[in-house]
Amino acid sequence: MSGGGEPLSRLEALRFARRVVEEQAERQLALIDRWIANEEQRQAERRRGEEKRPEPAEWLIQYGLNRSNVDAVHTGDCWAAARSGRCRPAPRQQVLDALLQQVPACVHCRPDTALGILE
């Protein structure tokens, strides 16, 4: 730059403008690089969480509000069971026994049909 109050030449002004834009671009790229690193970390954590998640239960027993009586039987992927919040995983034999003892089968996922039990 020129010293002592002389106006900048056109060439000096263009070089100054280039330096300013270059510095701004470097700051913006650094910011975007941080965003990328954060997103990569979130995705890695999500993958680790999915890998550690236990396999879903194949069968579920739905308990009543008092948690002692059995209200219904579901397949493990039943949306209605997930909404009730009162279901616990159960082995196949326990589900079969419950159905044979007239515990109702869920009308949405039909575990009785999946187990080959006809009504």
Side-chain angles (χ1 to χ4, degrees):
M1 287 175 69
S2 300
E6 292 180 30
L8 290 176
S9 72
R10 180 169 168 78
L11 182 57
E12 290 173 327
L14 290 170
R15 286 184 175 146
F16 175 75
R18 185 184 189 291
R19 283 193 309 273
V20 170
V21 169
E22 186 176 29
E23 289 173 7
Q24 290 174 342
E26 286 174 1
R27 282 194 298 270
Q28 292 301 312
L29 286 173
L31 177 62
I32 291 171
D33 287 343
R34 282 195 306 271
W35 291 344
I36 289 170
N38 289 340
E39 185 59 27
E40 287 172 342
Q41 182 178 358
R42 275 193 290 276
Q43 286 181 2
E45 289 170 357
R46 193 174 305 122
R47 276 192 305 274
R48 282 192 301 272
E50 289 171 0
E51 290 168 0
K52 290 182 179 180
R53 184 175 296 136
E55 288 293 320
E58 192 172 357
W59 308 104
L60 300 170
I61 299 260
Q62 179 179 327
Y63 292 91
L65 293 175
N66 63 5
R67 305 274 189 219
S68 63
N69 60 320
V70 177
D71 282 351
V73 176
H74 300 270
T75 60
D77 59 353
C78 179
W79 64 268
R83 294 186 80 193
S84 82
R86 298 187 321 238
C87 292
R88 300 289 175 261
R92 184 178 191 278
Q93 189 58 50
Q94 184 181 0
V95 171
L96 281 170
D97 293 344
L99 289 170
L100 294 174
Q101 293 172 12
Q102 305 303 315
V103 172
C106 173
V107 297
H108 303 289
C109 65
R110 302 307 308 186
D112 51 348
T113 303
L115 289 167
I117 298 174
L118 302 175
E119 291 185 11

